[in-house]
Amino acid sequence: MVSWFKQKKSVILDKEKIEELLTRGVERHYPSEDFLRQRLFSGDRLKLYLGIDPTGPTLHLGHAIPLRKLKQFQDLGHEIILLIGDFTARIGDPDKKEVRKQLTRKEVLENAKLYKEQASLFVSFKGKNAAKLMFNNSWHSKLNFSDVLDLASKITVQQMLERDMFRKRIQAEKPIYIHEFMYPLIQGYDAVAMNVDGEVGGNDQTFNMLVGRTLLKELKGKEKFVLPMKLLVDTTGSKMGKTTGNMLSFLDSPEEKFGKIMAWTDEMILIGFELCTDIDLSKIKNRLDGGENPRDIKMELAYEIVKTYHSDIVAKGARDAFVKTFQKGNTPNEIKSVKAGIGEKLYEVFIREEIVNSKIEFRRLIEAGAITNKTDNEKITEMDAPARPSVYKIGKHRFFEIKAM
RNA sequence: GGGGGGAUACCGAAGCGGUCAAACGGGGCAGACUGUAAAUCUGUUGGCUCAGCCUUCGGAGGUUCGAAUCCUCCUCCCCCCA
């Protein structure tokens, strides 16, 4: 009883903060918003987690959104866990089109290496309410076939088939392997293994998170809340997916991050503020409605986001670089520099440095008038133009400085 | 186990003996327009020693002057029946 009293005291019951937590960026609430509100006001210290599968070498902006939500829970004194899906990543969450290539344990661990460090930009792994880092291989690797059967008996095939990924596969007459089919079950078991009160994640994870909810209810009689977050997408739906390549990576340079955000459509400005900053949304909305140039508001968004990853000064620098390069058409301060030998042709250097893939690709760029020598302010029109020590620009965004060897 | 259908470039999808490096759509890249926006329009999207040549249509053989297209075997997938 004593410890229970202690826990009660450690949780903050700030009404405003709780409402912000319940609404900002949240797509839905399971089982209900009121359920979670009651839990938050009950004074209980809740245990919740965010699971990330280390399928790629770095976190990206999409991960930051639920991480920020996790942070809000942490700030209120709740117990938060960042779960690295080192087991689940090997299977891969089923994709709507193809069977994923299975990763090796080594690849997965390699990917996960920087995750904690990157996640600590948002949640704290230090101090008195430090976030915990867990790995789901530690329990999944111990389950045997009999355990798996017990779990599998809690979910029906019909329930599993509700997953849109599976439906799409079936519709497209593409194979679904049993190990993929079991993915939601495996991921769902995480909630049981950690015996949590809740989970946050992207809206695309709703199905998996709900499987966890079902399992926890079946096995421990516990009502797990599930908080799916809105996804950062443009009006057409899925422009920001990592497959399309324009997702902000944590490892992008500040300038790249700034530029990528500026390339978002205007319709994403408000959702961008909602999901990636703490700024009051009503003010932004008023300004947008008031006819202010969306570009300027987007610049602020880009600045705010870059600031969360780097620092105020760096964000300002990225903004200045953006203005200088794209609004005034100058050369950015920091550009990739490559060496060229005497007598080397421009295409030879570009191919060697993998700036272009082939000679014919270089030719196409020449023919399109896409390559400029910025130092001489001259368009390159000849295939065999020499590689001069100058700054070259390909298209709008790519700058290279060639230096003599 | 039986029967039928299918595997085509980054993805989807035409082609079914020569005119096929392969229509069309999406995505990518580039150009115009702009706010590096978005939308739109245009070009381009295997490689090279570039009016030509080489490699590519699941894999391996074969038929043919000639194959993505026909035949054989293999691998994989889907559907229907049991």
Side-chain angles (χ1 to χ4, degrees):
Chain A
M1 272 325 247
V2 173
S3 67
W4 175 81
F5 183 70
K6 257 189 192 164
Q7 283 186 356
K8 267 213 147 169
K9 281 193 86 175
S10 65
V11 176
I12 294 166
L13 301 177
D14 182 306
K15 192 168 187 307
E16 212 170 287
K17 280 185 178 160
I18 288 177
E19 288 306 319
E20 175 89 348
L21 183 152
L22 279 166
T23 54
R24 186 163 189 140
V26 175
E27 178 77 34
R28 284 200 60 175
H29 308 75
Y30 296 93
S32 72
E33 186 173 341
D34 281 340
F35 174 85
L36 181 54
R37 183 176 285 110
Q38 277 175 22
R39 295 291 276 132
L40 287 165
F41 278 115
S42 73
D44 290 344
R45 185 164 180 254
L46 304 177
K47 180 174 174 181
L48 70 147
Y49 80 107
L50 164 68
I52 298 178
D53 277 1
T55 47
T58 172
L59 295 182
H60 57 74
L61 198 56
H63 294 120
I65 293 162
L67 273 171
R68 293 177 65 85
K69 187 54 68 180
L70 209 55
K71 158 83 168 153
Q72 291 180 344
F73 278 96
Q74 184 176 34
D75 287 348
L76 289 178
H78 298 287
E79 179 182 355
I80 63 165
I81 299 168
L82 178 67
L83 177 71
I84 304 294
D86 57 342
F87 185 88
T88 31
R90 292 178 57 194
I91 306 165
D93 194 14
D95 181 81
K96 59 176 173 282
K97 288 159 97 177
E98 288 293 327
V99 181
R100 285 184 198 258
K101 178 182 150 263
Q102 288 196 55
L103 301 173
T104 64
R105 177 142 183 83
K106 193 168 166 247
E107 285 171 316
V108 164
L109 291 178
E110 191 62 32
N111 284 338
K113 241 179 186 172
L114 294 171
Y115 279 27
K116 182 182 175 187
E117 190 189 323
Q118 293 178 352
S120 63
L121 283 169
F122 295 95
V123 296
S124 173
F125 291 94
K126 289 176 185 154
K128 56 179 187 291
N129 188 29
K132 286 199 183 81
L133 188 73
M134 297 182 109
F135 295 84
N136 67 9
N137 186 66
S138 60
W139 48 85
H140 287 310
S141 61
K142 293 192 178 79
L143 296 182
N144 62 31
F145 221 133
S146 158
D147 299 324
V148 173
L149 280 179
D150 280 347
L151 277 181
S153 70
K154 307 297 181 199
I155 305 278
T156 67
V157 170
Q158 283 84 345
Q159 283 174 306
M160 223 43 123
L161 284 173
E162 280 177 32
R163 177 107 205 246
D164 58 344
M165 298 298 180
F166 293 138
R167 283 186 177 179
K168 278 175 183 151
R169 286 263 197 104
I170 288 168
Q171 212 167 17
E173 303 193 336
K174 290 272 157 81
I176 300 170
Y177 286 87
I178 300 293
H179 74 285
E180 298 182 278
F181 203 60
M182 294 189 62
Y183 180 91
L185 195 68
I186 298 168
Q187 191 181 313
Y189 182 73
D190 289 337
V192 177
M194 294 182 289
N195 194 22
V196 293
D197 297 296
E199 178 174 8
V200 299
N203 189 218
D204 57 333
Q205 289 302 309
T206 303
F207 184 89
N208 294 334
M209 295 194 287
L210 287 176
V211 170
R213 180 176 146 73
T214 304
L215 289 178
L216 204 55
K217 203 180 210 168
E218 284 278 334
L219 297 169
K220 305 211 169 179
K222 204 166 179 180
E223 286 279 353
K224 183 185 92 159
F225 70 82
V226 170
L227 207 57
M229 300 297 294
K230 290 178 190 168
L231 299 176
L232 191 64
V233 289
D234 72 5
T235 42
T236 62
S238 62
K239 271 268 165 114
M240 287 298 294
K242 49 188 161 174
T243 39
T244 54
N246 55 354
M247 180 51 92
L248 256 80
S249 157
F250 277 40
L251 295 180
D252 284 341
S253 71
E255 289 79 13
E256 281 174 312
K257 289 193 185 91
F258 202 99
K260 282 183 180 180
I261 294 161
M262 288 308 289
W264 290 356
T265 66
D266 290 350
E267 287 71 36
M268 288 175 65
I269 294 175
L270 198 62
I271 186 94
F273 273 104
E274 180 177 0
L275 297 177
C276 307
T277 75
D278 294 320
I279 289 167
D280 184 354
L281 293 180
S282 58
K283 283 183 188 153
I284 300 296
K285 196 166 185 315
N286 284 341
R287 287 171 61 194
L288 285 167
D289 293 344
E292 191 175 333
N293 188 342
R295 181 200 56 200
D296 298 330
I297 304 175
K298 198 150 69 178
M299 290 261 276
E300 282 180 34
L301 175 62
Y303 164 78
E304 288 296 332
I305 294 177
V306 173
K307 195 171 79 177
T308 61
Y309 290 88
H310 303 278
S311 67
D312 190 46
I313 294 169
V314 170
K316 279 181 179 141
R319 186 180 58 198
D320 292 346
F322 178 83
V323 170
K324 186 182 169 205
T325 309
F326 297 110
Q327 289 189 297
K328 297 189 178 153
N330 295 330
T331 305
N333 296 331
E334 287 191 26
I335 56 178
K336 185 180 157 84
S337 155
V338 298
K339 297 239 190 286
I342 294 163
E344 250 191 312
K345 303 266 192 275
L346 191 57
Y347 73 80
E348 290 171 336
V349 177
F350 279 7
I351 291 171
R352 172 160 50 76
E353 297 294 328
E354 295 177 337
I355 293 164
V356 299
N357 293 318
S358 65
K359 201 173 164 182
I360 204 149
E361 188 181 316
F362 183 86
R363 181 188 299 277
R364 282 195 286 267
L365 290 168
I366 292 284
E367 283 167 1
I371 306 179
T372 311
N373 180 324
K374 286 290 283 180
T375 307
D376 301 345
N377 212 14
E378 250 176 31
K379 201 163 266 185
I380 306 299
T381 54
E382 300 296 323
M383 256 321 273
D384 54 0
R388 287 215 289 266
S390 306
V391 172
Y392 288 91
K393 180 175 79 112
I394 303 178
K396 285 171 189 158
H397 316 174
R398 292 142 76 196
F399 291 85
F400 305 96
E401 182 174 21
I402 290 187
K403 289 182 170 160
M405 219 171 246

